[in-house]
Every structure is written in C-alpha cells, then in structure tokens.
Amino acid sequence: MTNPLGVHALVWVGGTTPADVETAVRQTKAAGYDLLELSLHDAVNLDAAAARKVLEAEGLGIACSRGLAFDADVSSADTAVVARGEKLLQDSLRITHELGGTHFTGALYSALGKYSAPSAPRAAPMSCGCCGTSPPRPPRST
C-alpha cells in the first residue's frame, strides 16, 4: 500500500489502556482505515506487546504521536527541562518501534502551547539536536 489512510485514536478513546487500544483498533478497522495514529500522551498505561498483537490481528498499521509539555520542552534554556523532553522523545521512539511503527510525529520541537515571548536564539539548535537533526541553515547569499 503506497498511501494508507489513517485515523487518530483520540477519535475513539482518550487513553492507551489495553481496553482503549482494543476499542480504537476495532473501530478503526470497522471504519475502513488502514492505519491507527496512537498518541503516546498516556504511554504509562500502554502495553506495547499486547497493542501490537491487536494491530497485527486486524491488519492495521501504526503511527505514533505526542506533544511535549512545558516541563519537557526541548527548546527550553533550562537543561533539566530539555533532558526530560529528550527522554520522552527517546522513550516515544522506542515505543513506536515496539508497536511495529516507523513513523513518529507531533509537536516534537517545543512544548505544545502558547509562549509568552519569542524563543531564545539557542532554541532551534537545542530542539533539532534532541530530534536528531541539524538546525536549518540560512540561505546562501549570491
């Protein structure tokens, strides 16, 4: 399948308990989708091995997403806050892999929320470093 269509699990349920995941998977399949996007905001309640079995049994693909809170903002000037965000991102990548997924998306570069001021100049390099990429470079002048 070159372009699977998916739906976010939050359309069906609000968490990631085994019962929530099973409901989301069954509803997604019944609605005719190919893929379920699972938010990892509630990953502490997720049984990745059980979720993967349900997904595979229904023939659904999986993508994962999450948003970062201000206390785990990888663009923060506070290194402890950045470290919490980086751990959440690394844990989320591991969980995505355990579920059989290859795509992890969401508000991964900063906190999901409204800021009261522009970001500090070091925010982009911090954010990109945590996400495993290089910061964008300015265009070359000719």
Side-chain angles (χ1 to χ4, degrees), residues 8 37-43 64-69 72 85 87-93 95 104-110 112:
H8 202 289
E37 180 181 338
L38 186 64
S39 172
L40 299 180
H41 72 282
D42 185 41
C64 295
S65 62
R66 81 163 312 122
L68 294 174
K87 179 169 180 359
L88 272 175
L89 292 174
Q90 293 301 319
D91 289 349
S92 297
L93 286 169
I95 292 167
F104 174 55
T105 187
L108 309 177
Y109 50 86
S110 68
L112 179 60

Side-chain angles (χ1 to χ4, degrees), residues 1-89:
M1 182 172 307
T2 58
N3 191 21
L5 294 178
V7 65
H8 202 289
L10 291 176
V11 168
W12 316 116
V13 298
T16 62
T17 66
D20 288 336
V21 171
E22 188 166 336
T23 297
V25 168
R26 303 244 188 268
Q27 293 285 84
T28 298
K29 183 67 173 183
Y33 290 101
D34 309 302
L35 180 136
L36 177 67
E37 180 181 338
L38 186 64
S39 172
L40 299 180
H41 72 282
D42 185 41
V44 66
N45 291 312
L46 178 65
D47 180 339
R52 185 172 183 156
K53 284 181 186 174
V54 173
L55 287 158
E56 289 175 349
E58 293 295 338
L60 288 179
I62 184 75
C64 295
S65 62
R66 81 163 312 122
L68 294 174
F70 283 103
D71 69 348
D73 181 356
V74 295
S75 71
S76 173
D78 183 331
T79 57
V81 171
V82 171
R84 279 193 295 276
E86 191 167 17
K87 179 169 180 359
L88 272 175
L89 292 174

